[in-house]
Amino acid sequence: MKSALLSIFAFLLSVSVFAQDYAIQQLENSPRHHEWVTIESNGRTLHNFVVYPETSEPAPVVIVIHENRGLNDWARSFADQLAGEGFIAVAPDLISNTLEGVEKTGDFETSDAARQAIYNLGPDFVTADLMNVLEYAKTIEAGNGSFAVAGFCWGGSQSFRFATNAGDAIDAAMVFYGTGPDAEEAYSNIQVPVYGFYGGDDQRVNSTIVGSENAMEKFGKTYQYEIYEGAGHAFMRRGDNPDAGSDDPNVIARNKSWDRLVTLLNDL
């Protein structure tokens, strides 16, 4: 009996960790077109959540790179919200089919298991995935030929790193509370603007900003960032929760970042 109760508790904990009810509701109420697209990458099937805006004009394509818990409901909701602003969003599930018997992020038993799978990914493996996702993005007929990457936490670091590998195949990299490359020389390869979004109460990440700024300046690269006072790590997700008050620093940071992001993407 005790064993059964523990199993039920573990199951409920797993569900509660992955479920983000407000994000699910937002997705279910969205009028926009959602689809799952698969591509072959690194010898396995890579799943991508794609959302199209309701527009009569070709649109920029934004590759959304998820946090260190995988392509969860909030990451898909963010992609849908981007489409609501007129952009095509492509959100790859970078841990899809990286573990035998686990097809997508939502198939992991817990978010901790998903996180461990992400940390098992090699840097070059991730870059190859993102390059293949970009190649798919180029084939989207509704696109206008402009491409950006936007990533959060682990995904923010991957966005910065992808800028060092993608050359001029993208037009901008958006880094939300992610760290830049450790090796100074890597910054010399960046050919597009990098825009940073950071919470004031996130010193673990913010302590690396100066190093990135100095390297970008040394190689004549564009690196513009904003730090939002009082906001913590993951403020884009935390500030998206409708239960948070309007005076919550994470909500304020999320809203300011959102306005800035949309403006930057419209200027591509």
Side-chain angles (χ1 to χ4, degrees), residues 42-61:
N42 280 314
R44 97 290 191 195
T45 299
L46 173 64
H47 293 270
N48 301 266
F49 182 68
V50 183
V51 191
Y52 287 87
E54 294 187 309
T55 179
S56 60
E57 301 294 331
V61 180

Side-chain angles (χ1 to χ4, degrees), residues 1 10 69 102 135 141 246 251-252:
M1 182 65 177
R69 303 290 176 130
V102 183
E135 288 305 308
E141 294 182 355
S246 60
V251 174
I252 295 170

Side-chain angles (χ1 to χ4, degrees), residues 3-203:
S3 177
L5 289 174
L6 288 174
S7 296
I8 292 172
F9 176 77
F11 171 77
L12 292 175
L13 178 61
S14 172
V15 170
S16 67
V17 168
F18 274 90
Q20 295 158 320
D21 290 342
Y22 66 89
I24 294 173
Q25 185 176 11
Q26 191 272 330
L27 287 165
E28 290 180 346
N29 292 333
S30 171
R32 289 168 286 279
H33 177 78
H34 302 163
E35 64 184 35
W36 284 98
V37 173
T38 59
I39 64 174
E40 295 304 307
S41 182
N42 280 314
R44 97 290 191 195
T45 299
L46 173 64
H47 293 270
N48 301 266
F49 182 68
V50 183
V51 191
Y52 287 87
E54 294 187 309
T55 179
S56 60
E57 301 294 331
V61 180
V62 183
I63 298 173
V64 178
I65 310 177
H66 54 69
E67 300 170 306
N68 66 353
R69 303 290 176 130
L71 187 64
N72 56 21
D73 297 324
W74 177 78
R76 294 193 301 118
S77 172
F78 180 89
D80 180 80
Q81 292 176 60
L82 267 184
E85 296 288 349
F87 310 106
I88 300 168
V90 179
D93 187 342
L94 295 169
I95 50 174
S96 55
N97 287 305
T98 57
L99 191 66
E100 186 176 356
V102 183
E103 190 169 356
K104 295 179 182 178
T105 290
D107 297 325
F108 282 89
E109 291 186 358
T110 66
S111 66
D112 282 341
R115 180 177 60 182
Q116 186 58 52
I118 284 177
Y119 289 148
N120 287 338
L121 301 179
D124 292 340
F125 185 95
V126 175
T127 296
D129 271 356
L130 294 175
M131 285 293 190
N132 288 326
V133 172
L134 178 59
E135 288 305 308
Y136 158 72
K138 292 177 181 179
T139 70
I140 297 176
E141 294 182 355
N144 70 357
S146 295
F147 304 94
V149 291
F152 309 88
C153 181
W154 175 86
S157 298
Q158 297 304 322
S159 182
F160 215 142
R161 185 175 186 276
F162 191 56
T164 72
N165 291 291
D168 61 0
I170 59 174
D171 297 287
M174 313 294 177
V175 178
F176 288 84
Y177 32 88
T179 58
D182 293 330
E184 183 183 69
E185 191 61 30
Y187 294 87
S188 67
N189 297 323
I190 295 176
Q191 299 184 37
V192 299
V194 176
Y195 300 101
F197 305 75
Y198 305 99
D201 292 349
D202 191 10
Q203 185 59 15

